[in-house]
């Protein structure tokens, strides 16, 4: 996301990657087809937003950040936004086509946005502050079920969150962050991956690569050391475990026996073709199924990994 690319290029490359994935993993066809249209709308809007100057965001307060407060939760967001109305309506229309069961959610949100152009910025603020009670109040007011209301919000507002993350990420480069949730928006990761560092010696020191976590909400990626559960902070190697199969040793399922959460992980160090991070959750979807069969639950609940609920 560093260089703004044209919407056309971004969409073409996304379609290609999705087609490649369906070819490699035919069992993903149905899931990917459902998500494809939404992902395309997301890529188009994101590319459009990226052609604007990055939002002029002040650096986060280093002390607050070191105390574990994600950057966006302290910021006055509304003045940063362009008009969100049109972009959000497009996203909601795509959401409705991708997920017919969410028709009601998409329509009520779109109607609300038409009436109240301030609502989207307020929703983003509640999401990044994880204000569950306030979100529930909105859901009640719109007569929607809180979980599906939140899912519809997260999916349709994602390009704006990615744009905000793009604006704030440069400030975080020199700041340290050792939490399992996103330093920008506070959401938990949906996937992780191991990547070789630039230096070979560093690779050896890290025993096979650095671990990167991918935020389920704003797509930001951050590093976290490998022997810790991102969800509960458990560092006891005896209660942290990972599984992988002989056929695909690069695909790993990390679980924590303390909090019973799991996180899929892709070891990219030996891979020739590395999927883009936003598609990794799909790449590793079969691991969600295995984890949930074993009684673990995901850190980030997402529509595609709600397999047993
Ligand atoms: Zn995030
Ligand atoms: Zn844990």
């Amino acid at each position: 996301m560093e260089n703004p690319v044209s919407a056309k290029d971004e969409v073409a490359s996304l379609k290609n990657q999705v087609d490649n994935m369906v070819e490699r993993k035919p069992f993903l066809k149905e899931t990917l087809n459902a998500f494809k249209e939404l992902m395309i709308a997301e890529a188009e809007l994101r590319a459009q937003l990226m052609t604007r100057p990055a939002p002029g965001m002040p650096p986060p307060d280093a002390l607050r950040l070191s105390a574990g407060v994600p950057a966006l939760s302290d910021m006055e967001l509304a003045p940063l936004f362009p008009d969100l109305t049109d972009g959000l309506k497009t996203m909601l229309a795509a959401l409705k086509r991708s997920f017919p069961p969410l028709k009601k959610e998409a329509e009520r949100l779109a109607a609300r946005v038409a009436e109240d152009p301030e609502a989207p910025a307020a929703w983003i603020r509640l999401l990044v502050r994880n204000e569950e009670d306030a979100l529930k109040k909105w859901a009640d007011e719109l007569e929607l079920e809180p979980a599906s209301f939140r899912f519809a919000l997260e999916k349709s507002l994602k390009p704006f969150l990615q744009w905000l993350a793009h604006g704030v990420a440069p400030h975080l480069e020199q700041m340290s962050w050792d939490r399992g949730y996103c330093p920008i928006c506070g959401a938990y990761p949906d996937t992780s991956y191991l990547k070789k560092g630039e230096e070979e010696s560093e690779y050896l020191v890290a025993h096979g690569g650095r671990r990167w976590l991918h935020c389920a909400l704003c797509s930001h990626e951050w590093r976290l050391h490998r022997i810790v559960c991102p969800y509960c902070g458990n560092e006891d190697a005896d209660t942290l475990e990972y599984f992988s199969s002989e056929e695909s040793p690069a695909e790993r399922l990390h679980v924590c026996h303390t909090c019973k959460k799991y996180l899929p992980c892709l070891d990219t160090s030996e891979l020739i073709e590395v999927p883009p991070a936003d598609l990794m959750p799909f790449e590793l979807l079969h691991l969600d199924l295995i984890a949930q069969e074993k009684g673990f639950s995901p850190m980030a609940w997402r529509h595609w990994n709600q397999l047993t609920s």
Side-chain angles (χ1 to χ4, degrees):
M1 283 194 333
E2 284 90 43
N3 299 311
V5 284
S6 81
K8 225 171 114 200
D9 289 350
E10 182 154 351
V11 169
S13 123
L14 176 71
K15 282 182 177 159
N16 250 338
Q17 284 154 351
V18 170
D19 292 344
N20 283 347
M21 197 181 280
V22 171
E23 215 164 281
R24 277 185 292 114
K25 303 197 165 187
F27 63 91
L28 287 176
K29 195 171 173 186
E30 210 176 302
T31 310
L32 281 169
N33 279 344
F35 270 91
K36 199 168 169 181
E37 189 166 355
L38 187 62
M39 287 195 286
I40 288 170
E42 181 188 307
E44 282 173 346
L45 180 56
R46 184 173 59 231
Q48 227 181 67
L49 287 165
M50 293 297 179
T51 59
R52 298 164 170 271
M57 307 174 96
D61 183 314
L63 269 179
R64 297 270 294 158
L65 200 73
S66 66
V69 181
L72 289 183
S73 69
D74 272 349
M75 280 183 202
E76 197 50 66
L77 299 174
L80 300 170
F81 287 118
D83 182 3
L84 305 185
T85 318
D86 287 347
L88 184 52
K89 280 188 188 159
T90 309
M91 287 301 294
L92 289 166
L95 181 76
K96 192 163 86 172
R97 288 191 299 271
S98 272
F99 296 101
L102 291 175
K103 184 170 178 268
K104 192 173 60 184
E105 282 72 10
E107 285 175 353
R108 291 199 188 152
L109 286 171
R112 192 51 186 248
V113 174
E115 258 169 47
D116 176 7
E118 315 275 299
W123 292 332
I124 290 180
R125 185 176 164 80
L126 296 181
L127 284 179
V128 301
R129 296 168 68 95
N130 194 26
E131 292 193 19
E132 285 180 355
D133 291 346
L135 285 164
K136 192 179 170 302
K137 245 167 114 178
W138 267 102
D140 291 346
E141 197 189 317
L142 295 169
E143 295 178 20
L144 295 169
E145 203 264 309
S148 54
F149 166 71
R150 185 165 183 155
F151 176 78
L153 275 190
E154 289 184 359
K155 294 316 286 178
S156 56
L157 292 169
K158 192 174 178 109
F160 300 107
L161 283 152
Q162 290 173 325
W163 181 64
L164 287 175
H166 171 72
V168 82
H171 292 309
L172 298 184
E173 276 163 20
Q174 303 308 324
M175 296 180 170
S176 66
W177 180 261
D178 59 0
R179 316 281 167 145
Y181 51 87
C182 174
I184 292 185
C185 76
Y188 279 96
D190 53 11
T191 33
S192 60
Y193 60 93
L194 303 179
K195 188 169 84 171
K196 278 187 190 177
E198 278 88 57
E199 305 278 333
E200 193 61 18
S201 58
E202 192 180 37
Y203 176 65
L204 294 173
V205 170
H207 304 293
R210 298 160 148 193
R211 176 165 73 158
W212 289 81
L213 306 186
H214 175 258
C215 174
L217 186 57
C218 77
S219 302
H220 180 67
E221 291 170 10
W222 71 104
R223 274 177 64 190
L224 189 69
H225 69 95
R226 290 173 55 176
I227 313 294
V228 63
C229 166
Y231 195 83
C232 73
N234 172 23
E235 290 183 312
D236 169 19
D238 289 342
T239 49
L240 295 166
E241 193 181 1
Y242 79 84
F243 309 96
S244 61
S245 69
E246 264 175 45
E247 308 86 73
S248 335
E251 297 173 352
R252 302 169 164 200
L253 175 63
H254 287 252
V255 302
C256 171
H257 291 283
T258 302
C259 67
K260 293 298 215 178
K261 296 281 183 191
Y262 71 87
L263 186 64
C265 177
L266 188 67
D267 182 356
T268 67
S269 53
E270 304 296 330
L271 294 184
I272 297 160
E273 203 184 333
V274 179
D278 279 339
L279 290 181
M280 262 186 217
F282 297 102
E283 185 80 39
L284 302 176
L285 188 66
H286 55 292
L287 297 179
D288 288 84
L289 186 62
I290 296 170
Q292 290 174 37
E293 273 172 9
K294 288 177 184 285
F296 296 93
S297 59
M299 292 179 192
W301 276 106
R302 287 296 165 271
H303 205 271
W304 62 79
N305 60 21
Q306 290 180 0
L307 300 170
T308 55
S309 64

